[in-house]
Amino acid sequence: MNWLRVGSVLSVLGSLTWLLWPSANWRVEPEPALALLTALAIWISQEVADWRGLADRDAKAHPNDVELAKRFQVTFDSDVRRFLRDQSFGSVFRSDIMDRLYLVDANWSGVEYRFEDADLDNQLSELLRLNSDFCAKMATYSGPARGSANLISVPTDEERSRDKFSDHTLAHIKELQMLADQVLEAMEKLQKTIKKKIPQSFVDATWRYE
């Protein structure tokens, strides 16, 4: 919360109340009128300063950073976050989200996927590294579930039918859960930094994967 802005507004309201409060002879006194004008001037100057600060911050953002931030939001959307947060990997799950993460691992490289801002670039590089580790382990530990081309599973069909997983499978599930948590944490950290440094990128983001 911007306490300076709150104080300015309260000062304006207090001065206005003082000005409108009837005096004994119902005359407008110069002191409250002067106080109101002063409070208004301070409030307006604060709003102008805040607007200029936002404009300067937006102007400093490199165009490539803005576009990459939008692409990040569309790709790593709420569906991906929900999958990483809620999927236990002990049952079958749809392959579409993993397919998106596999595409990121395969295609997000080169200058097109580098932020000019060093902090953002470091965080994205860390996210891509963690996602690559997650994808590699998932490709090794999982396979198509019987009867559906769109479902994959870490436990084998036989393990699921018996509802009893081997120690080997349980270790794989636990490792994938840990890696998913790390990817999610890196995603959320980068999103918070983008929101702070490039807030205009949130305006036009479609929040839909294409």
Side-chain angles (χ1 to χ4, degrees), residues 49-62:
D50 289 346
W51 178 83
R52 286 177 176 173
L54 289 174
D56 290 343
R57 181 178 60 184
D58 291 350
K60 290 177 182 177
H62 193 281

Side-chain angles (χ1 to χ4, degrees), residues 50-66 116-117 196-201:
D50 289 346
W51 178 83
R52 286 177 176 173
L54 289 174
D56 290 343
R57 181 178 60 184
D58 291 350
K60 290 177 182 177
H62 193 281
N64 179 70
D65 285 6
V66 177
E116 297 293 329
D117 182 276
K196 178 181 179 181
K197 293 194 171 189
I198 320 178
Q200 69 270 36
S201 68

Side-chain angles (χ1 to χ4, degrees), residues 27-52:
R27 290 190 310 174
V28 176
E29 301 294 338
E31 291 84 358
L34 180 61
L36 176 60
L37 291 175
T38 302
L40 280 172
I42 294 174
W43 175 56
I44 292 173
S45 65
Q46 178 65 31
E47 291 297 317
V48 170
D50 289 346
W51 178 83
R52 286 177 176 173

Side-chain angles (χ1 to χ4, degrees), residues 5 21 28 30 38 66 76 97 108 111 130-131 134 155 162 172 184-185:
R5 176 176 292 175
W21 195 269
V28 176
T38 302
V66 177
F76 294 93
I97 298 297
W108 281 46
V111 295
L130 292 170
N131 180 67
F134 178 58
R162 292 189 292 109
H172 289 169
L184 179 61
E185 183 179 357

Side-chain angles (χ1 to χ4, degrees), residues 193-206:
T193 307
I194 288 174
K195 189 172 184 179
K196 178 181 179 181
K197 293 194 171 189
I198 320 178
Q200 69 270 36
S201 68
F202 281 77
V203 176
D204 298 323
T206 61

